[in-house]
Amino acid sequence: GERVDEGQGEVVTYGNGEGQGEVYTDGEGEADGQGERQWRQVQRPAPEQKRRRIVNPETLDDEQLIRQLYDCSWSDSRLDLLLATVMTLLERDLMGEDHYFEALKALGARTDPSVTEPALYLLEDMKRKRLPLAEPHYTLGILACGRSRSVRQALSLFEEARSRGLASFDLYSAIITAVGEAGDTKRSVSFVDEMYEAHLSPDAETYAAAINSCTTSRQWKVALELLEEALEEEGVVPDVRLYTAAMEACGQAQQFETLEELLLNMMSSDIDPDVRTYNSLFRMYNQVEAWEQALDSLSMMDMQQVNPNVATYNELITTIGLARKSRVDDIWKSAYTLVKAMQKRSLKPDGDTYMNMAQLMHEAERPDDFEQLLDEARKHGVGAGLYQRSKRNGETPSESVQMVALMECRDNGAWQAAFRILWEMKDLGRPISQFCRKVADETGMRTIQEKGQIKLHRFLDMLDAEDDDFKRSMAT
């Protein structure tokens, strides 16, 4: 929803995400209102309408601060500003029962794993102040726990709510979603069965949440069983979420024939695919290196008026990159066209987009474009942090990630880290390009330690050396 001002009264719109919403008015701006409270159905305000900007809460008075909390609950504002707003409200002792609910709603709507801790803190703070915890508070807390896959904490909240007689359809849906995000298929299926025992009939969204757990656990057969069960239930109306969840589970398990069958069954049931459906299809094309079919599917999206998102284009760029194995000339041009198409749709390329494009430019031997794209990637937070994250997860960092990390080393004069990355590239059998040599040389120039300069330059000399004894001594 959106918050707007009309006349002399305040109008707050609570949207349902589908363009419709209710407006609560309290003021003298309405001719028939005269200050009385009323409800009326309205269209969601136009996208170009100016929204209230989320600002540093310390600069706001009490009334503005409370208003900002409500703004945060519907906007895609930065998480740090949301948390700062909540903390400032707590410090000023302005948090009432409704404010806790709005804060939990704002946290539960975000996918960031770091929302779990503040959500649990708010629930505990409500208990300390002896404020009544209703079913929606527990539901939102469980959803926040699911973001960080904190199954134990989510189960604890669920059992607490159930012991207080607050078991409801929404509460069960929340716990199924939370354990599903952690890939706990056994518990997801168990909670679906419990819903029937409690005479709370699951709907398509509930089944889709249970099937999502099968994606993480790669139990595609269980996903198909849940789909079949849902289709046989009279109270479940099949929709795109249900089929797409099953498709993603099959795609994760590389059961591509089954995935295509599900897509055909869905379309034969007059259920149109959405962007999530197509993204699962593009991931399959990525796995089987079917870049031509991926481009055909993009055209089909346009025909069906399904708007692609950033993840769609990232999957397509990755898939097109595989065309180099088919010896297709100038594939980078096709990928660059997709980036332009993204921008035309007002979609901002993210770090993955730039890294995928940089890899293509590197292989196309376009060093200037390659370096420019790496700089763009770094602006989007892709750098040594991603390299370290890959190492912690036991993954082999891609060549582009290594190169961005090298650029970070150059800027910080970190010759030891640069030396390790270069050695890793050599150990993986990856060619040390002229770009890497240039960055390493600049790193050596920027470090104040003569030892670092000598080591880096000797390593670069070693790459061109033919003497095995020299290579062995350098390795030592």
Side-chain angles (χ1 to χ4, degrees):
E2 304 219 9
R3 181 191 293 271
V4 294
D5 292 325
E6 289 184 6
Q8 298 176 3
E10 181 184 68
V11 180
V12 183
T13 307
Y14 297 95
N16 60 8
E18 298 175 355
Q20 297 292 329
E22 291 178 320
V23 168
Y24 161 76
T25 65
D26 185 9
E28 301 175 357
E30 298 271 329
D32 56 350
Q34 299 300 319
E36 297 180 0
R37 298 182 174 184
Q38 1 174 342
W39 293 92
R40 59 186 173 88
Q41 285 293 116
V42 296
Q43 283 286 345
R44 185 176 180 176
E48 61 272 10
Q49 185 166 354
K50 185 177 180 181
R51 291 184 172 186
R52 196 187 306 276
R53 192 166 64 91
I54 310 300
V55 298
N56 182 355
E58 295 180 359
T59 64
L60 305 176
D61 59 30
D62 291 355
E63 184 180 350
Q64 292 171 330
L65 190 62
I66 292 173
R67 226 175 241 185
Q68 175 152 298
L69 174 65
Y70 282 85
D71 290 337
C72 288
S73 69
W74 55 256
S75 75
D76 55 353
S77 58
R78 284 165 35 193
L79 179 60
D80 59 341
L81 285 176
L82 166 62
L83 295 177
T85 301
V86 173
M87 290 305 298
T88 307
L89 283 166
L90 288 169
E91 289 169 1
R92 298 184 189 179
D93 198 21
L94 297 174
M95 288 287 279
E97 186 179 344
D98 292 341
H99 305 137
Y100 279 100
F101 174 76
E102 288 298 327
L104 287 167
K105 184 171 72 173
L107 291 169
R110 284 162 169 78
T111 58
D112 195 313
S114 60
V115 301
T116 301
E117 188 175 345
L120 292 174
Y121 176 85
L122 289 174
L123 291 173
E124 288 299 321
D125 199 51
M126 289 185 71
K127 293 177 185 177
R128 283 193 294 270
K129 295 178 179 177
R130 298 187 177 181
L131 294 173
L133 266 71
E135 175 268 326
H137 297 108
Y138 284 106
T139 298
L140 292 170
I142 291 169
L143 288 173
C145 289
R147 300 294 182 244
S148 62
R149 302 185 178 182
S150 304
V151 175
R152 183 178 58 82
Q153 292 164 315
L155 290 171
S156 176
L157 288 174
F158 175 78
E159 292 300 335
E160 183 180 326
R162 187 162 59 175
S163 67
R164 295 182 55 197
L166 298 176
S168 66
F169 177 88
D170 289 338
L171 192 74
Y172 270 101
S173 295
I175 191 63
I176 290 171
T177 300
V179 298
E181 289 182 357
D184 195 338
T185 303
K186 185 177 180 180
R187 279 200 174 100
S188 293
V189 175
S190 173
F191 282 125
V192 171
D193 294 337
E194 281 187 28
M195 289 186 73
Y196 282 110
E197 293 173 5
H199 305 290
L200 300 168
S201 300
D203 60 5
E205 185 176 1
T206 310
Y207 271 104
I211 293 172
N212 282 335
S213 69
C214 302
T215 303
T216 306
S217 61
R218 301 196 176 210
Q219 298 188 46
W220 64 278
K221 291 183 179 179
V222 178
L224 294 180
E225 290 171 4
L226 286 168
L227 175 63
E228 186 177 355
E229 179 182 323
L231 295 176
E232 290 175 354
E233 291 293 333
E234 293 183 1
V236 178
V237 180
D239 61 10
V240 64
R241 293 171 297 183
L242 193 62
Y243 277 98
T244 301
M247 288 173 62
E248 288 180 338
C250 292
Q252 187 69 20
Q254 297 189 352
Q255 300 296 319
F256 300 130
E257 290 184 6
T258 308
L259 187 154
E260 290 182 321
E261 287 177 13
L262 288 172
L263 178 62
L264 293 174
N265 291 341
M266 181 180 74
M267 297 179 75
S268 64
S269 302
D270 293 328
I271 299 174
D272 295 327
D274 62 6
V275 64
R276 185 180 162 194
T277 313
Y278 275 106
N279 286 352
S280 66
L281 196 62
F282 289 135
R283 280 191 288 273
M284 179 194 75
Y285 290 141
N286 195 339
Q287 294 278 343
V288 299
E289 302 181 10
W291 61 276
E292 291 176 318
Q293 290 91 323
L295 291 177
D296 289 341
S297 296
L298 182 63
S299 301
M300 193 181 299
M301 287 184 75
D302 289 334
M303 291 173 59
Q304 294 180 336
Q305 296 182 335
V306 178
N307 294 322
N309 56 21
V310 175
T312 309
Y313 283 106
N314 285 344
E315 290 292 343
L316 279 167
I317 292 170
T318 304
T319 306
I320 285 177
L322 299 171
R324 65 183 182 276
K325 298 181 180 179
S326 305
R327 297 184 180 179
V328 177
D329 295 331
D330 294 335
I331 55 169
W332 66 269
K333 292 181 180 178
S334 300
Y336 192 69
T337 302
L338 290 174
V339 175
K340 288 296 183 185
M342 286 179 70
Q343 296 169 337
K344 194 173 182 180
R345 290 180 179 270
S346 299
L347 295 173
K348 294 182 179 179
D350 61 8
D352 290 337
T353 314
Y354 287 114
M355 292 304 292
N356 291 335
M357 284 299 301
Q359 187 70 27
L360 290 177
M361 293 301 183
H362 175 61
E363 291 165 359
E365 298 181 356
R366 299 179 62 84
D368 292 340
D369 293 328
F370 172 71
E371 189 167 359
Q372 181 182 350
L373 284 163
L374 287 187
D375 283 331
E376 289 290 338
R378 291 171 62 200
K379 291 177 184 176
H380 287 77
V382 181
L386 183 58
Y387 175 82
Q388 295 296 341
R389 190 156 59 247
S390 300
K391 301 295 286 183
R392 282 196 302 269
N393 295 336
E395 302 169 351
T396 302
S398 69
E399 203 169 350
S400 295
V401 170
Q402 287 175 321
M403 292 180 184
V404 176
L406 269 180
M407 295 171 74
E408 294 284 337
C409 294
R410 176 194 62 189
D411 295 346
N412 297 319
W415 69 268
Q416 291 175 315
F419 186 83
R420 285 194 294 270
I421 294 169
L422 287 168
W423 194 268
E424 180 186 56
M425 294 175 76
K426 184 68 176 173
D427 199 42
L428 291 169
R430 292 174 175 171
I432 309 297
S433 64
Q434 289 299 323
F435 174 77
C436 291
R437 292 167 185 254
K438 172 189 167 188
V439 174
D441 188 58
E442 291 172 352
T443 306
M445 296 290 288
R446 293 189 184 189
T447 183
I448 60 174
Q449 297 185 32
E450 185 179 357
K451 178 183 176 183
Q453 297 178 12
I454 294 172
K455 270 204 168 186
L456 284 172
H457 290 145
R458 280 187 177 175
F459 180 83
L460 297 175
D461 291 338
M462 184 198 74
L463 297 176
D464 301 319
E466 300 294 337
D467 184 33
D468 291 337
D469 290 337
F470 176 74
K471 289 186 178 181
R472 279 195 294 273
S473 64
M474 191 61 217
T476 304

